[in-house]
Amino acid sequence: MNTAIENHWYPVAMISGIDGPRETLLLGKKITLGRKDGTCWVKDATGKALPTVERFGHLWTSPGQPNRDLFTIPEADSPGRRLVDVGSVKVKCSPLRAVENFLDIAHFPFVHTDILGAEPHTEVDRYDVKIREEVDEVWATKVKFYQPQAAKSAAGGITTEYMYRVPAPTCSVLYKTCPPRPGEWDIITLFVQPLTDEWCEVWPWMALYDDESTMSEMVSFQQLIFMQDRSILENQIPRKLPLDPGMEVPTQADMTSVAYRRWLKKIGYTYGAQLVAA
Amino acid sequence: MILYDYVLSASCYKVRLMAALLGTPLILRAVNFHPAREHKSPEMLALNPKGTLPILQDGETVLTDSADILRHLTMDHPEWRSPDDDRWLAFASDLNESLGLARLHDVIGYEADIDTARAAGVTALRKLEAHLTEQRFDGLIFLTGKAPTIADIACFPNTALAPDGGFSLDPYPSIRLWMRAVRSLPGFIEMPGIHRLHELAHPA
Ligand SMILES: N[C@@H](CCC(=O)N[C@@H](CS)C(=O)NCC(=O)O)C(=O)O
Ligand SMILES: [Fe+2]
């Protein structure tokens, strides 16, 4: 057992989607989950109860003994936000690759053409990235990018500002300019359940200010975006995320990815990673 | 005309694509098919007791089968019709149970006899490849002739999305050329998993 991997919290279900008991995989091992009298439960293959947290509309568990609480997103609690259960998409890729792709804005004009990016606006300006030691999270701030349709609620092209946060090895939270409320951030998360080291179930979740769109429209928009990523993710080579910084040459746009990999190495998180001699 | 639509549905995309190629405006109503299963809600069942998408509402007319909807959209466009369409519309509907089902299984965890679906998908792709190769030998690029018809629009979505369900299209050069021809039609629109055609490089 590798505690550096097992002692984390992982998303395993959308709470509103749990009807009967259900089997799934976590880190390559079978688990069962369900809900009884309004409370969710998870068991491992031997029938042992695993710890649970219900947060952000999702059920979280851990095969180990997490030494801290699941992260929080205090901004998501502010009144007026609409909380969007996007559902899940399964992807044959390393969980770390799924997070890394989410952190990378350079692909927007090419993969999310005319929505999250458009040629010729392909430049990513310098921004700030660091590992915040006090909370042990990766943060990228002051990321700016021109977007033709930044959200369902956007009426036209705007320069969007982003902050990216990696609060857990297989989770990322992004904060981006909210088109109808320029002083506030929209929150979009990617919670990744590692089914195995090359197969994941991805649970996006959002907390948005948008008084116009229907819930279905917001869900559709996000599913459209994520499905554009899926085919890219399934075709990445190498399949696992290389943790030797020498192996893929970083560009400015990839600074968040470099910090993410460095942080994974620091905390010894190697599930879905490809370790190469330094 | 109102289309009750799900953004990731191959069958809804058939309708969006056909309307775009014709220049027919559609009002889209997003239905939360996944994860909320809104197509099975009382409101949607009242409109379509089968509980499926797409649904097209045109005045008093409500159509719930994508083949019927393609016929309806092209009622006054004989150039989009061929006597051979019917067999390809049936073929397209079978693709939902093979390529389409494998895709829903792999992407959103649909229950499926996945081995059967995959085997049927490969059989269908081989049949399509064989037919399109014959067409090429005759100097024809589309399923029923020189010009596209509703047959092509019906068969294109599940075929082009097959890689989402784990099928490689590498072994099918005639299918790939045909998909390129469909993607180059004026007014073509994309969907996630089907990218627009990039400009071929021009010599400097
Ligand atoms: N609605 C979001 C989509 C967010 C999203 O989930 N994007 C994909 C990209 S890879 C993505 O999954 N993240 C980036 C992003 O927010 O733009 C947006 O507009 O930005
Ligand atoms: Fe993306």
Side-chain angles (χ1 to χ4, degrees):
Chain A
M1 144 145 163
N2 183 338
T3 54
I5 294 166
E6 300 202 338
N7 288 357
H8 287 280
W9 291 105
Y10 295 97
V12 291
M14 189 179 78
I15 293 168
S16 61
I18 302 176
D19 27 31
R22 182 146 49 83
E23 269 187 4
T24 181
L25 288 174
L26 179 58
L27 302 171
K29 300 205 178 88
K30 203 177 283 182
I31 59 169
T32 314
L33 61 91
R35 187 160 45 166
K36 187 158 185 271
D37 304 326
T39 304
C40 299
W41 54 266
V42 183
K43 292 190 174 110
D44 72 8
T46 70
K48 186 180 79 148
L50 298 181
T52 61
V53 171
E54 297 179 29
R55 194 171 293 170
F56 318 127
H58 288 74
L59 170 62
W60 302 73
T61 192
S62 173
Q65 292 164 337
N67 41 30
R68 60 177 183 174
D69 186 21
L70 174 63
F71 63 89
T72 60
I73 310 176
E75 303 86 347
D77 295 331
S78 38
R81 282 186 191 271
R82 292 172 69 194
L83 309 182
V84 186
D85 282 349
V86 179
S88 73
V89 169
K90 289 183 173 177
V91 190
K92 293 220 166 61
C93 76
S94 149
L96 307 182
R97 284 284 194 195
V99 171
E100 182 199 44
N101 174 70
F102 189 76
L103 300 175
D104 165 40
I105 51 177
H107 76 280
F108 285 4
F110 312 106
V111 177
H112 310 295
T113 315
D114 296 342
I115 307 174
L116 301 184
E119 292 181 270
H121 309 278
T122 57
E123 285 297 308
V124 182
D125 290 336
R126 177 160 274 285
Y127 55 85
D128 295 343
V129 190
K130 68 169 165 206
I131 296 174
R132 292 191 182 166
E133 302 286 352
E134 69 286 7
V135 284
D136 207 15
E137 297 185 355
V138 181
W139 276 81
T141 56
K142 301 182 189 154
V143 186
K144 295 198 181 68
F145 205 70
Y146 174 82
Q147 300 198 306
Q149 171 142 32
K152 181 66 198 165
S153 60
I158 53 170
T159 295
T160 308
E161 182 167 348
Y162 280 86
M163 295 192 291
Y164 283 92
R165 168 185 176 205
V166 181
T170 69
C171 296
S172 182
V173 179
L174 74 79
Y175 304 76
K176 69 183 286 188
T177 310
C178 171
R181 294 206 200 180
E184 302 275 2
W185 299 100
D186 271 341
I187 295 170
I188 300 170
T189 72
L190 200 72
F191 302 144
V192 181
Q193 172 184 357
L195 299 168
T196 72
D197 56 359
E198 291 194 6
W199 189 28
C200 16
E201 186 144 2
V202 177
W203 305 91
W205 180 80
M206 308 192 284
L208 309 180
Y209 289 112
D210 181 341
D211 297 326
E212 301 284 312
S213 308
T214 65
M215 191 56 92
S216 302
E217 286 171 336
M218 293 187 284
V219 169
S220 294
F221 185 81
Q222 190 56 22
Q223 289 187 358
L224 176 146
I225 298 297
F226 190 72
M227 280 301 286
Q228 290 177 328
D229 289 307
R230 185 177 178 271
S231 49
I232 309 292
L233 285 169
E234 294 207 333
N235 289 296
Q236 272 176 332
I237 306 281
R239 300 191 59 78
K240 296 206 173 85
L241 185 72
L243 283 190
D244 180 337
M247 198 161 158
E248 281 176 47
V249 182
T251 66
Q252 177 62 32
D254 282 320
M255 292 315 292
T256 317
S257 168
V258 172
Y260 175 52
R261 295 179 191 206
R262 199 171 284 152
W263 178 70
L264 290 171
K265 257 179 133 166
K266 183 187 89 144
I267 65 173
Y269 196 92
T270 53
Y271 196 76
Q274 168 177 309
L275 297 172
V276 287
Chain B
M1 274 184 282
I2 298 173
L3 176 67
Y4 291 85
D5 183 45
Y6 174 53
V7 67
L8 302 184
S9 154
S11 301
C12 292
Y13 172 61
K14 282 179 203 175
V15 179
R16 296 196 300 270
L17 176 58
M18 188 72 248
L21 295 171
L22 293 167
T24 303
L26 287 179
I27 298 167
L28 299 183
R29 291 274 159 78
V31 178
N32 188 337
F33 177 94
H34 171 75
R37 295 174 55 80
E38 211 172 58
H39 55 304
K40 304 289 188 194
S41 67
E43 297 76 28
M44 296 306 299
L45 288 174
L47 205 54
N48 175 15
K50 289 184 296 182
T52 57
L53 295 177
I55 303 170
L56 186 81
Q57 200 170 21
D58 185 6
E60 295 297 295
T61 309
V62 175
L63 298 170
T64 60
D65 176 75
S66 60
D68 292 341
I69 298 174
L70 295 185
R71 290 190 188 98
H72 183 78
L73 290 173
T74 54
M75 218 161 21
D76 300 320
H77 296 270
E79 71 280 12
W80 281 94
R81 297 292 196 91
S82 149
D84 293 334
D85 287 339
D86 285 358
R87 84 174 245 249
W88 290 109
L89 292 178
F91 181 82
S93 149
D94 290 345
L95 290 183
N96 269 336
E97 306 306 316
S98 54
L99 302 179
L101 184 60
R103 174 169 172 267
L104 289 179
H105 171 275
D106 282 14
V107 176
I108 57 176
Y110 242 58
E111 293 284 332
D113 177 349
I114 190 62
D115 294 335
T116 304
R118 288 202 206 289
V122 169
T123 304
L125 288 170
R126 287 182 182 160
K127 193 166 155 191
L128 191 59
E129 174 71 11
H131 176 75
L132 287 166
T133 302
E134 290 294 327
Q135 293 289 90
R136 280 169 79 182
F137 291 161
D138 293 341
L140 308 170
I141 194 72
F142 293 103
L143 281 171
T144 65
K146 270 193 193 323
T149 71
I150 53 175
D152 299 283
I153 306 312
C155 293
F156 174 75
N158 271 312
T159 306
L161 294 168
D164 277 354
F167 300 89
S168 167
L169 293 175
D170 291 350
Y172 310 108
S174 295
I175 290 179
R176 284 187 287 122
L177 187 70
W178 166 74
M179 292 196 307
R180 200 171 173 97
V182 173
R183 287 158 74 217
S184 68
L185 294 171
F188 178 83
I189 51 166
E190 54 198 354
M191 76 164 270
I194 304 180
H195 215 278
R196 74 188 68 175
L197 208 52
H198 284 285
E199 299 288 323
L200 291 173
H202 289 284

